Amino acid sequence: LGVRFPIRLLHLSDLHFSAEAAWNQMPVLAELVEEVKALRAELGPIHRVVITGDIANFGASKEYAKAAEWLNGKLAEAAGVKADQIRMVPGNHDVDRKKINLAVSGLDAKLLSMTDDDIAATMRNRALRKMLLDRQAAYRKFAKGFNPHDESPGWRSEEEIEGWAVHFIGLNTAWLSGSHKDKHGEVDDHRHLVLGGWQWNVLFPAARPVADLTIALMHHPW
């Protein structure tokens, strides 16, 4: 307490890259780049960029190609960072809903009524975990270029920034997203998502004894 951490994070979210809507997004992103340049000039170096989900609009590979080009190009230049200084977690729009078949939907529904012990047992099963996470396959391939460690479904990273031990924890709140439908047939994620104690316990305890600062990233609110 009372210690000032000389660490600056640029927090972005909900970029929703879309091949079809690029014509409308690029002017906004251009203004954002100028804002980042101004912030950096005013406040000093940006040590990390953190992006909390919905990077794509439909979880498609072509959307992540555009995101990677922008992040590694204009944004990185404006923020003065490299790819290994960018961290991210997925949101519900980073799910390819075409990959959610009847078997996946059935497992999703069952998991929502299971205990945390049962959810942990399911997530420890490699085949079932792959089946559940396949909806985020394009996102995960894209994110490997930025997040240094992947614990599936989340990740953690132990880093030194300005002499401080900083641990980042990337929580995946969208691994069950896209399956539940409301009475009108529309996707309804509200109250149909699970973080899971297994994910938390795999990622968090290792950071506690030695970190000066632990930063958890997540898309959805509690």
Side-chain angles (χ1 to χ4, degrees), residues 122-147:
T122 301
M123 294 304 288
R124 287 199 304 269
N125 183 303
R126 287 180 178 271
L128 291 177
R129 188 165 73 237
K130 183 180 184 304
M131 177 177 164
L132 289 163
L133 295 178
D134 193 47
R135 73 193 75 189
Q136 294 177 335
Y139 163 81
R140 290 166 62 76
K141 182 177 180 181
F142 157 76
K144 282 182 180 179
F146 302 94
N147 297 336

Side-chain angles (χ1 to χ4, degrees), residues 9 88 91 104-105 140 147 210 215:
L9 306 179
M88 61 189 65
V104 174
S105 294
R140 290 166 62 76
N147 297 336
V210 294
I215 301 172

Side-chain angles (χ1 to χ4, degrees), residues 1-221:
L1 294 175
V3 176
R4 182 179 179 184
F5 283 84
I7 296 171
R8 298 180 188 87
L9 306 179
L10 173 64
H11 178 200
L12 304 175
S13 189
D14 295 79
L15 296 169
H16 290 275
F17 275 91
S18 168
E20 291 75 15
W23 64 272
N24 196 30
Q25 293 173 334
M26 288 304 128
V28 178
L29 293 175
E31 288 189 24
L32 176 58
V33 164
E34 295 305 315
E35 289 286 342
V36 171
K37 288 179 182 177
L39 281 172
R40 183 181 166 205
E42 177 186 354
L43 300 176
I46 295 171
H47 299 103
R48 296 293 184 273
V49 175
V50 297
I51 309 173
T52 49
D54 285 0
I55 296 155
N57 205 34
F58 296 105
S61 296
K62 61 183 179 181
E63 296 172 337
Y64 293 116
K66 286 191 169 294
E69 180 182 5
W70 185 75
L71 289 172
N72 285 318
K74 292 181 179 179
L75 179 73
E77 182 181 355
V81 300
K82 297 179 181 179
D84 63 4
Q85 293 172 277
I86 300 174
R87 306 281 174 267
M88 61 189 65
V89 292
N92 47 295
H93 280 265
D94 294 306
V95 166
D96 183 350
R97 296 175 184 174
K98 296 190 295 294
K99 293 195 171 187
I100 302 175
N101 55 33
L102 287 175
V104 174
S105 294
L107 181 56
D108 285 359
K110 188 172 183 180
L111 283 166
L112 288 171
S113 63
M114 293 172 79
T115 67
D116 215 30
D117 286 340
D118 293 328
I119 293 171
T122 301
M123 294 304 288
R124 287 199 304 269
N125 183 303
R126 287 180 178 271
L128 291 177
R129 188 165 73 237
K130 183 180 184 304
M131 177 177 164
L132 289 163
L133 295 178
D134 193 47
R135 73 193 75 189
Q136 294 177 335
Y139 163 81
R140 290 166 62 76
K141 182 177 180 181
F142 157 76
K144 282 182 180 179
F146 302 94
N147 297 336
H149 304 293
D150 190 340
E151 303 290 343
S152 297
W155 58 268
R156 63 184 174 191
S157 177
E158 302 173 6
E159 307 175 29
E160 182 178 318
I161 305 177
E162 296 294 302
W164 298 96
V166 181
H167 289 199
F168 289 92
I169 297 175
L171 296 169
N172 187 340
T173 62
W175 64 275
L176 276 181
S177 184
S179 184
H180 186 82
K181 304 290 180 64
D182 63 18
K183 62 182 180 180
H184 304 293
E186 298 294 325
V187 172
D188 179 17
D189 283 334
H190 184 54
R191 297 189 181 277
H192 297 101
L193 300 178
V194 171
L195 179 63
W198 180 81
Q199 180 180 178
W200 180 260
N201 287 336
V202 165
L203 298 174
F204 184 68
R208 298 186 71 176
V210 294
D212 295 312
L213 181 65
T214 300
I215 301 172
L217 309 178
M218 59 193 296
H219 179 69
H220 295 94

